[in-house]
Amino acid sequence: MEKSEATAIDVPETSRESKGKAPLLSAPAAVQHTAAPRYKRGVAIFDLILRISAATAALGATVAMGTTEETLPFFTQFFQFQASYDDLTTFSFFVIAMAIVTSYLVLSIPFSIVCIVRPLATGPRLLLIICDTLAVTLATSAAGAAAAIVYLAHNGNSSANWLAICQQFTDFCQRASGAVVGAFVAVALMIFLVLLSAIALRKR
Amino acid sequence: MEKSEATAIDVPETSRESKGKAPLLSAPAAVQHTAAPRYKRGVAIFDLILRISAATAALGATVAMGTTEETLPFFTQFFQFQASYDDLTTFSFFVIAMAIVTSYLVLSIPFSIVCIVRPLATGPRLLLIICDTLAVTLATSAAGAAAAIVYLAHNGNSSANWLAICQQFTDFCQRASGAVVGAFVAVALMIFLVLLSAIALRKR
């Protein structure tokens, strides 16, 4: 029982200290809601960190796929074996889609900072969750499509008589696989972004 | 000018009628919040309709892809040309993923009804938006992967020496394409579901 009493004494002291230190900044918000802004500000900071991580992962995936090409060291008299990402339409779509997603994520950072400065504003948060949802579906479709092609390149398909090109173009395939993994990491981070925004929007 | 006056007289009559008819049902909610529950209940009903439509589209896509097979009418002495959806791993993934999404959408209908009955409860709505986000990414990855394979089946790829199998298996390809379109319709409806839940969660 002594411990719970000690806790009960500690809590008002802490809140009194913070009230004494920053009365000018948080005074208007603290009148209406005491606990909500601090909790929402934490969510907004975590949102910014996740957003930067997702942008980095998406940028990595874009660059990795966009620079994927391989020229085999042997050639015949008429033909040199060469593979580039834009030989496959799906990989071109992947690069374009992930570049759009990266640009969006970078451009959305100011809105995320607005959410940190004004944790109770629902306008920027609603805008972010709508655009995040669209961006996550774009990134997921690009990642899924590229994954299907990478799987086909690795394993081939005997029914359709499609050969596994990865037996020749080893580096090309490894790089494309890495780009797909990066894209799925970005997708996972962006799912967290959407869920975080949903939790922050919730009426408490 | 006579016409607009006639309209202005009609409108109050209609709203007076509806007020007179349903005072017993909406009385407890109307004490605390006058406009919010009716607006939120409308959103919840729209959510249920969208959910049923998305489940129907997802079911259609699953069944269309799951029954896709074609046997060509000519055969050699040793081999009969036959194509089925499970010859391609991506199409098997598509069927499984869309079956999961369909089951989830059907099972989530009771939660959507709970949101209609209690429009101010945020718990079921938060659960729905989290599961919806996961379901929409699963459906999008399946649709994107299948679209990449269908594109390849239609057009082939000269760089990788993959032939367009749709020149032989016409019905097979048309059916698979239809399933992909159905899946993207389901994805679009589910994006609206997520956005609708986000708007309903917003603190007013």
Side-chain angles (χ1 to χ4, degrees):
Chain A
M1 287 304 285
E2 278 186 346
K3 273 187 183 176
S4 69
E5 276 180 352
T7 318
I9 292 166
D10 279 351
V11 173
E13 280 182 357
T14 325
S15 67
R16 225 183 299 145
E17 275 185 344
S18 70
K19 271 185 190 167
K21 272 177 186 168
L24 292 169
L25 284 169
S26 61
V31 174
Q32 285 189 328
H33 308 262
T34 46
R38 189 163 302 172
Y39 147 82
K40 295 225 168 182
R41 183 159 294 171
V43 168
I45 291 170
F46 193 50
D47 179 288
L48 180 64
I49 296 168
L50 269 182
R51 199 169 290 276
I52 293 170
S53 313
T56 314
L59 181 67
T62 314
V63 172
M65 185 63 93
T67 57
T68 298
E69 54 181 348
E70 189 181 5
T71 308
L72 291 191
F74 53 86
F75 46 89
T76 66
Q77 197 173 357
F78 307 106
F79 197 72
Q80 179 158 24
F81 296 98
Q82 192 173 13
S84 169
Y85 79 94
D86 53 2
D87 287 338
L88 290 153
T89 324
T90 307
F91 287 172
S92 301
F93 166 63
F94 180 91
V95 171
I96 295 167
M98 292 310 289
I100 292 172
V101 169
T102 310
S103 319
Y104 159 70
L105 284 173
V106 171
L107 290 176
S108 70
I109 286 177
F111 290 91
S112 185
I113 292 171
V114 167
C115 287
I116 296 178
V117 176
R118 300 183 57 195
L120 291 171
T122 53
R125 174 108 5 241
L126 198 66
L127 185 71
L128 278 182
I129 198 173
I130 290 173
C131 296
D132 279 351
T133 310
L134 297 176
V136 78
T137 45
L138 181 62
T140 311
S141 63
I149 298 297
V150 163
Y151 177 85
L152 205 61
H154 272 287
N155 293 48
N157 188 290
S158 57
S159 305
N161 207 17
W162 292 336
L163 295 174
I165 57 167
C166 283
Q167 289 169 357
Q168 286 88 46
F169 296 98
T170 324
D171 281 2
F172 176 82
C173 279
Q174 278 181 351
R175 203 142 177 176
S177 310
V180 170
V181 170
F184 273 114
V185 169
V187 165
L189 289 172
M190 287 166 75
I191 290 176
F192 275 112
L193 272 181
V194 172
L195 300 186
L196 212 62
S197 292
I199 291 170
L201 266 180
R202 183 176 56 160
K203 193 172 71 180
R204 296 164 47 92
Chain B
M1 286 304 286
E2 278 188 350
K3 272 187 183 176
S4 68
E5 277 181 352
T7 318
I9 293 167
D10 278 350
V11 173
E13 280 184 356
T14 323
S15 65
R16 226 183 298 147
E17 273 186 344
S18 69
K19 270 184 189 168
K21 269 179 188 169
L24 292 169
L25 284 170
S26 60
V31 174
Q32 286 189 325
H33 308 262
T34 47
R38 190 163 302 172
Y39 148 81
K40 295 225 169 184
R41 182 159 294 170
V43 168
I45 291 170
F46 193 49
D47 179 289
L48 180 65
I49 295 168
L50 269 182
R51 199 170 290 278
I52 294 169
S53 313
T56 314
L59 181 68
T62 314
V63 171
M65 186 63 94
T67 55
T68 298
E69 55 182 348
E70 188 182 5
T71 308
L72 291 191
F74 53 87
F75 46 90
T76 66
Q77 196 174 0
F78 307 107
F79 196 72
Q80 178 157 27
F81 296 98
Q82 193 172 15
S84 170
Y85 78 94
D86 53 3
D87 287 337
L88 289 153
T89 325
T90 308
F91 287 171
S92 303
F93 166 63
F94 180 91
V95 171
I96 295 167
M98 292 310 290
I100 292 172
V101 169
T102 310
S103 320
Y104 159 70
L105 284 173
V106 170
L107 290 175
S108 70
I109 287 176
F111 290 92
S112 185
I113 292 170
V114 167
C115 287
I116 296 178
V117 176
R118 300 183 57 193
L120 291 170
T122 53
R125 173 107 5 237
L126 198 66
L127 184 72
L128 278 182
I129 197 173
I130 290 173
C131 296
D132 279 351
T133 310
L134 296 177
V136 79
T137 46
L138 181 62
T140 310
S141 63
I149 297 297
V150 163
Y151 178 83
L152 206 60
H154 272 287
N155 293 49
N157 187 291
S158 57
S159 307
N161 207 16
W162 292 335
L163 295 175
I165 57 167
C166 283
Q167 288 169 356
Q168 286 90 45
F169 296 99
T170 323
D171 280 2
F172 176 81
C173 279
Q174 277 182 351
R175 201 142 179 176
S177 311
V180 169
V181 171
F184 274 113
V185 169
V187 165
L189 290 172
M190 288 166 75
I191 291 176
F192 274 111
L193 272 181
V194 171
L195 300 185
L196 211 62
S197 293
I199 290 168
L201 267 178
R202 184 176 56 159
K203 191 172 72 180
R204 296 164 46 93

